[in-house]
Short mmCIF file of all heavy atoms in Angstrom, two decimals:
data_model
loop_
_atom_site.label_atom_id
_atom_site.label_comp_id
_atom_site.label_asym_id
_atom_site.label_seq_id
_atom_site.Cartn_x
_atom_site.Cartn_y
_atom_site.Cartn_z
N ARG A 19 27.63 80.16 222.70
CA ARG A 19 27.98 81.46 221.92
C ARG A 19 29.20 81.22 221.14
O ARG A 19 30.02 80.21 221.23
CB ARG A 19 28.39 82.49 222.91
CG ARG A 19 27.05 82.95 223.73
CD ARG A 19 27.48 84.00 224.78
NE ARG A 19 26.33 84.40 225.60
CZ ARG A 19 25.97 85.77 225.76
NH1 ARG A 19 26.83 86.64 225.30
NH2 ARG A 19 24.96 85.97 226.40
N TYR A 20 29.54 82.17 220.16
CA TYR A 20 30.67 82.22 219.35
C TYR A 20 31.87 82.69 220.34
O TYR A 20 31.64 83.55 221.07
CB TYR A 20 30.49 83.19 218.26
CG TYR A 20 31.52 83.09 217.14
CD1 TYR A 20 31.62 82.01 216.26
CD2 TYR A 20 32.51 84.04 217.03
CE1 TYR A 20 32.49 81.88 215.27
CE2 TYR A 20 33.41 83.98 215.99
CZ TYR A 20 33.44 82.85 215.11
OH TYR A 20 34.42 82.81 214.18
N PRO A 21 32.99 82.08 220.27
CA PRO A 21 33.97 82.31 221.25
C PRO A 21 34.43 83.74 221.45
O PRO A 21 34.42 84.25 222.54
CB PRO A 21 35.20 81.45 220.89
CG PRO A 21 34.56 80.34 220.06
CD PRO A 21 33.41 80.94 219.31
N LEU A 22 34.87 84.41 220.31
CA LEU A 22 35.51 85.73 220.49
C LEU A 22 35.38 86.56 219.13
O LEU A 22 35.33 86.05 218.08
CB LEU A 22 36.96 85.67 220.93
CG LEU A 22 37.92 85.07 219.97
CD1 LEU A 22 38.56 86.07 219.10
CD2 LEU A 22 39.04 84.31 220.80
N LEU A 23 35.47 87.89 219.39
CA LEU A 23 35.63 88.85 218.31
C LEU A 23 36.84 89.79 218.73
O LEU A 23 36.80 90.20 219.95
CB LEU A 23 34.52 89.61 217.99
CG LEU A 23 33.38 88.93 217.23
CD1 LEU A 23 32.18 89.92 216.97
CD2 LEU A 23 33.80 88.44 215.84
N TYR A 24 37.78 90.08 217.97
CA TYR A 24 38.90 90.87 218.25
C TYR A 24 38.78 92.18 217.47
O TYR A 24 38.62 92.14 216.20
CB TYR A 24 40.24 90.22 218.01
CG TYR A 24 41.51 91.09 218.13
CD1 TYR A 24 42.03 91.40 219.40
CD2 TYR A 24 42.08 91.68 217.04
CE1 TYR A 24 43.16 92.18 219.52
CE2 TYR A 24 43.21 92.41 217.17
CZ TYR A 24 43.70 92.73 218.37
OH TYR A 24 44.83 93.45 218.56
N PHE A 25 38.97 93.36 218.15
CA PHE A 25 38.94 94.64 217.45
C PHE A 25 40.15 95.41 217.85
O PHE A 25 40.70 95.41 218.89
CB PHE A 25 37.68 95.43 217.87
CG PHE A 25 36.41 94.77 217.59
CD1 PHE A 25 35.69 94.03 218.50
CD2 PHE A 25 35.90 94.87 216.24
CE1 PHE A 25 34.50 93.45 218.17
CE2 PHE A 25 34.70 94.21 215.95
CZ PHE A 25 33.92 93.56 216.86
N THR A 53 25.23 86.96 221.01
CA THR A 53 25.71 85.60 220.56
C THR A 53 27.21 85.43 220.64
O THR A 53 27.80 84.54 220.14
CB THR A 53 25.27 85.36 219.13
OG1 THR A 53 25.88 86.29 218.24
CG2 THR A 53 23.71 85.29 218.89
N ILE A 54 27.85 86.40 221.26
CA ILE A 54 29.40 86.48 221.34
C ILE A 54 29.72 86.32 222.88
O ILE A 54 29.18 86.93 223.76
CB ILE A 54 29.92 87.81 220.87
CG1 ILE A 54 29.53 88.09 219.55
CG2 ILE A 54 31.44 87.86 221.02
CD1 ILE A 54 29.99 87.00 218.52
N ALA A 55 30.65 85.38 223.07
CA ALA A 55 31.06 85.13 224.46
C ALA A 55 32.06 86.25 224.91
O ALA A 55 31.94 86.73 226.04
CB ALA A 55 31.72 83.82 224.67
N THR A 56 33.01 86.64 224.05
CA THR A 56 34.10 87.58 224.40
C THR A 56 34.35 88.57 223.41
O THR A 56 34.42 88.21 222.17
CB THR A 56 35.33 86.73 224.67
OG1 THR A 56 35.13 85.59 225.43
CG2 THR A 56 36.43 87.49 225.41
N LEU A 58 37.27 91.19 222.49
CA LEU A 58 38.70 91.61 222.80
C LEU A 58 38.94 92.99 222.21
O LEU A 58 38.82 93.09 221.02
CB LEU A 58 39.67 90.54 222.26
CG LEU A 58 39.53 89.14 222.70
CD1 LEU A 58 40.64 88.36 222.07
CD2 LEU A 58 39.52 88.98 224.19
N SER A 87 46.74 90.88 220.93
CA SER A 87 46.23 90.07 221.97
C SER A 87 47.36 89.40 222.78
O SER A 87 47.07 88.44 223.49
CB SER A 87 45.30 88.99 221.42
OG SER A 87 44.31 89.53 220.58
N HIS A 187 51.09 83.77 221.69
CA HIS A 187 49.89 84.51 221.12
C HIS A 187 48.66 83.61 221.23
O HIS A 187 47.57 84.12 221.74
CB HIS A 187 50.12 84.93 219.70
CG HIS A 187 49.09 85.83 219.18
ND1 HIS A 187 49.32 86.52 217.88
CD2 HIS A 187 47.97 86.20 219.57
CE1 HIS A 187 48.27 87.21 217.66
NE2 HIS A 187 47.39 87.07 218.64
N SER A 188 48.74 82.39 220.76
CA SER A 188 47.58 81.55 220.88
C SER A 188 47.11 81.22 222.28
O SER A 188 45.92 81.18 222.56
CB SER A 188 47.80 80.19 219.99
OG SER A 188 48.94 79.55 220.56
N LEU A 191 44.98 84.09 223.54
CA LEU A 191 43.61 83.96 222.99
C LEU A 191 42.82 83.07 223.85
O LEU A 191 41.71 83.25 224.22
CB LEU A 191 43.59 83.59 221.56
CG LEU A 191 44.24 84.63 220.58
CD1 LEU A 191 44.29 84.02 219.19
CD2 LEU A 191 43.42 85.88 220.55
N LEU A 192 43.33 81.83 224.15
CA LEU A 192 42.72 80.86 224.89
C LEU A 192 42.40 81.37 226.37
O LEU A 192 41.35 81.17 226.85
CB LEU A 192 43.62 79.56 225.04
CG LEU A 192 42.99 78.46 225.87
CD1 LEU A 192 41.62 77.95 225.27
CD2 LEU A 192 44.09 77.31 225.84
N ALA A 194 41.97 84.46 227.18
CA ALA A 194 40.84 85.45 227.16
C ALA A 194 39.51 84.79 227.09
O ALA A 194 38.53 85.23 227.80
CB ALA A 194 41.05 86.34 226.03
N VAL A 195 39.32 83.78 226.18
CA VAL A 195 38.07 83.13 226.11
C VAL A 195 37.64 82.41 227.29
O VAL A 195 36.45 82.49 227.81
CB VAL A 195 38.19 82.09 224.92
CG1 VAL A 195 36.86 81.31 224.87
CG2 VAL A 195 38.39 82.83 223.51
N ILE A 231 45.31 70.71 221.65
CA ILE A 231 44.68 70.93 220.40
C ILE A 231 44.61 72.42 219.96
O ILE A 231 44.94 72.68 218.83
CB ILE A 231 43.27 70.36 220.33
CG1 ILE A 231 43.41 68.69 220.56
CG2 ILE A 231 42.55 70.61 219.07
CD1 ILE A 231 42.02 68.10 220.72
N LEU A 232 44.23 73.29 220.84
CA LEU A 232 43.84 74.59 220.52
C LEU A 232 45.05 75.56 220.46
O LEU A 232 45.03 76.54 219.75
CB LEU A 232 42.85 75.20 221.50
CG LEU A 232 41.48 74.41 221.64
CD1 LEU A 232 40.63 75.15 222.67
CD2 LEU A 232 40.92 74.32 220.29
N THR A 233 46.19 75.36 221.06
CA THR A 233 47.27 76.15 220.98
C THR A 233 48.65 75.55 220.58
O THR A 233 49.25 75.98 219.67
CB THR A 233 47.43 76.99 222.31
OG1 THR A 233 47.95 76.04 223.33
CG2 THR A 233 46.26 77.64 222.80
N LEU A 236 48.27 73.97 217.06
CA LEU A 236 48.09 75.13 216.18
C LEU A 236 49.39 75.85 215.91
O LEU A 236 49.73 76.17 214.80
CB LEU A 236 47.04 76.03 216.79
CG LEU A 236 46.79 77.40 215.96
CD1 LEU A 236 46.21 77.05 214.58
CD2 LEU A 236 45.81 78.33 216.77
N MET A 239 51.81 73.83 213.81
CA MET A 239 51.29 73.74 212.44
C MET A 239 51.58 74.99 211.63
O MET A 239 52.15 75.00 210.56
CB MET A 239 49.78 73.43 212.44
CG MET A 239 49.19 73.16 211.07
SD MET A 239 48.68 74.74 210.23
CE MET A 239 47.19 75.17 211.27
N LEU A 240 51.23 76.15 212.28
CA LEU A 240 51.50 77.44 211.60
C LEU A 240 52.95 77.79 211.46
O LEU A 240 53.44 78.31 210.49
CB LEU A 240 50.82 78.58 212.38
CG LEU A 240 49.23 78.47 212.28
CD1 LEU A 240 48.61 79.59 213.14
CD2 LEU A 240 48.76 78.62 210.93
N ASN A 249 48.47 88.39 212.69
CA ASN A 249 47.69 88.38 213.78
C ASN A 249 46.21 87.89 213.31
O ASN A 249 45.66 87.00 213.89
CB ASN A 249 47.49 89.68 214.47
CG ASN A 249 46.51 89.77 215.54
OD1 ASN A 249 46.47 88.87 216.43
ND2 ASN A 249 45.67 90.71 215.50
N ALA A 250 45.74 88.49 212.23
CA ALA A 250 44.33 88.09 211.71
C ALA A 250 44.31 86.63 211.43
O ALA A 250 43.32 86.04 211.75
CB ALA A 250 44.05 88.94 210.55
N ARG A 251 45.41 86.10 210.84
CA ARG A 251 45.41 84.64 210.44
C ARG A 251 45.33 83.82 211.70
O ARG A 251 44.56 82.86 211.69
CB ARG A 251 46.65 84.41 209.62
CG ARG A 251 46.89 82.93 209.36
CD ARG A 251 46.05 82.34 208.28
NE ARG A 251 46.33 80.91 208.06
CZ ARG A 251 47.39 80.46 207.41
NH1 ARG A 251 48.16 81.26 206.82
NH2 ARG A 251 47.55 79.09 207.23
N LEU A 252 46.12 84.15 212.67
CA LEU A 252 46.11 83.27 213.90
C LEU A 252 44.85 83.34 214.56
O LEU A 252 44.35 82.37 215.04
CB LEU A 252 47.29 83.81 214.85
CG LEU A 252 47.51 83.08 216.14
CD1 LEU A 252 47.67 81.57 215.84
CD2 LEU A 252 48.50 83.56 216.94
N VAL A 253 44.27 84.54 214.74
CA VAL A 253 42.91 84.66 215.36
C VAL A 253 41.93 83.84 214.69
O VAL A 253 41.03 83.17 215.25
CB VAL A 253 42.53 86.15 215.44
CG1 VAL A 253 41.05 86.30 216.00
CG2 VAL A 253 43.42 86.92 216.40
N GLU A 254 41.93 83.91 213.28
CA GLU A 254 40.95 83.07 212.46
C GLU A 254 41.19 81.60 212.67
O GLU A 254 40.18 80.92 212.91
CB GLU A 254 41.18 83.48 211.03
CG GLU A 254 40.24 82.67 210.11
CD GLU A 254 40.54 83.03 208.58
OE1 GLU A 254 41.44 83.82 208.33
OE2 GLU A 254 39.87 82.50 207.78
N GLU A 255 42.40 81.17 212.65
CA GLU A 255 42.66 79.71 212.89
C GLU A 255 42.33 79.27 214.21
O GLU A 255 41.76 78.15 214.49
CB GLU A 255 44.23 79.46 212.60
CG GLU A 255 44.65 79.66 211.15
CD GLU A 255 44.18 78.59 210.16
OE1 GLU A 255 43.62 77.58 210.65
OE2 GLU A 255 44.35 78.78 208.98
N PHE A 256 42.63 80.06 215.28
CA PHE A 256 42.34 79.66 216.57
C PHE A 256 40.80 79.60 216.86
O PHE A 256 40.23 78.63 217.42
CB PHE A 256 42.84 80.74 217.62
CG PHE A 256 42.42 80.46 218.95
CD1 PHE A 256 43.05 79.55 219.90
CD2 PHE A 256 41.30 81.18 219.57
CE1 PHE A 256 42.59 79.33 221.21
CE2 PHE A 256 40.81 80.93 220.76
CZ PHE A 256 41.47 80.02 221.60
N THR A 257 40.10 80.61 216.31
CA THR A 257 38.59 80.67 216.46
C THR A 257 37.95 79.51 215.78
O THR A 257 37.06 78.83 216.37
CB THR A 257 38.01 81.94 215.84
OG1 THR A 257 38.72 83.14 216.54
CG2 THR A 257 36.55 82.08 216.12
N LYS A 258 38.41 79.08 214.68
CA LYS A 258 37.90 77.93 213.92
C LYS A 258 38.06 76.68 214.73
O LYS A 258 37.25 75.85 214.89
CB LYS A 258 38.54 77.78 212.56
CG LYS A 258 37.99 76.61 211.75
CD LYS A 258 38.63 76.56 210.38
CE LYS A 258 37.99 75.48 209.50
NZ LYS A 258 38.03 74.12 210.20
N ARG A 259 39.32 76.56 215.32
CA ARG A 259 39.56 75.32 216.08
C ARG A 259 38.57 75.36 217.42
O ARG A 259 38.17 74.35 217.80
CB ARG A 259 41.09 75.34 216.59
CG ARG A 259 41.93 74.89 215.47
CD ARG A 259 43.22 74.34 216.03
NE ARG A 259 44.15 73.92 214.85
CZ ARG A 259 45.09 73.01 215.00
NH1 ARG A 259 45.32 72.55 216.10
NH2 ARG A 259 45.82 72.66 213.93
N ALA A 260 38.49 76.51 218.02
CA ALA A 260 37.64 76.64 219.25
C ALA A 260 36.25 76.24 218.87
O ALA A 260 35.55 75.54 219.72
CB ALA A 260 37.75 78.05 219.80
N VAL A 261 35.73 76.73 217.83
CA VAL A 261 34.38 76.38 217.38
C VAL A 261 34.31 74.81 217.01
O VAL A 261 33.34 74.13 217.50
CB VAL A 261 33.89 77.15 216.19
CG1 VAL A 261 32.57 76.70 215.55
CG2 VAL A 261 33.85 78.60 216.56
N ASP A 262 35.18 74.34 216.25
CA ASP A 262 35.14 72.97 215.91
C ASP A 262 35.18 72.01 217.20
O ASP A 262 34.64 70.94 217.27
CB ASP A 262 36.20 72.56 214.87
CG ASP A 262 36.00 73.21 213.44
OD1 ASP A 262 34.82 73.64 213.36
OD2 ASP A 262 36.93 73.26 212.80
N PHE A 263 36.09 72.43 218.08
CA PHE A 263 36.34 71.71 219.31
C PHE A 263 35.13 71.78 220.29
O PHE A 263 35.06 71.05 221.26
CB PHE A 263 37.56 72.30 220.05
CG PHE A 263 38.07 71.56 221.17
CD1 PHE A 263 38.58 70.17 221.10
CD2 PHE A 263 38.00 72.17 222.44
CE1 PHE A 263 38.98 69.54 222.32
CE2 PHE A 263 38.38 71.42 223.66
CZ PHE A 263 38.90 70.23 223.58
N ASP A 264 34.24 72.80 220.05
CA ASP A 264 33.09 73.16 220.94
C ASP A 264 33.62 73.45 222.40
O ASP A 264 33.18 72.95 223.36
CB ASP A 264 32.16 71.90 221.04
CG ASP A 264 30.78 72.29 221.45
OD1 ASP A 264 30.49 73.53 221.55
OD2 ASP A 264 29.93 71.36 221.76
N LEU A 265 34.59 74.38 222.31
CA LEU A 265 35.33 74.79 223.56
C LEU A 265 34.36 75.22 224.76
O LEU A 265 34.50 74.76 225.85
CB LEU A 265 36.32 75.83 223.31
CG LEU A 265 37.01 76.48 224.51
CD1 LEU A 265 37.74 75.49 225.29
CD2 LEU A 265 37.95 77.59 224.07
N LEU A 266 33.43 76.07 224.47
CA LEU A 266 32.62 76.69 225.46
C LEU A 266 31.63 75.62 226.09
O LEU A 266 31.40 75.72 227.32
CB LEU A 266 31.84 77.81 224.85
CG LEU A 266 32.65 79.04 224.45
CD1 LEU A 266 31.83 80.22 223.97
CD2 LEU A 266 33.62 79.56 225.53
#
Side-chain angles (χ1 to χ4, degrees):
R19 295 174 179 234
Y20 193 73
L22 66 90
L23 287 178
Y24 172 81
F25 297 100
T53 62
I54 304 298
T56 316
L58 303 182
S87 304
H187 191 168
S188 55
L191 294 173
L192 180 61
V195 173
I231 295 174
L232 298 183
T233 68
L236 174 63
M239 183 274 289
L240 292 176
N249 174 49
R251 169 78 181 280
L252 181 58
V253 171
E254 179 183 0
E255 294 284 352
F256 172 84
T257 303
K258 183 178 184 303
R259 286 201 178 204
V261 171
D262 292 343
F263 185 70
D264 202 11
L265 172 61
L266 297 181

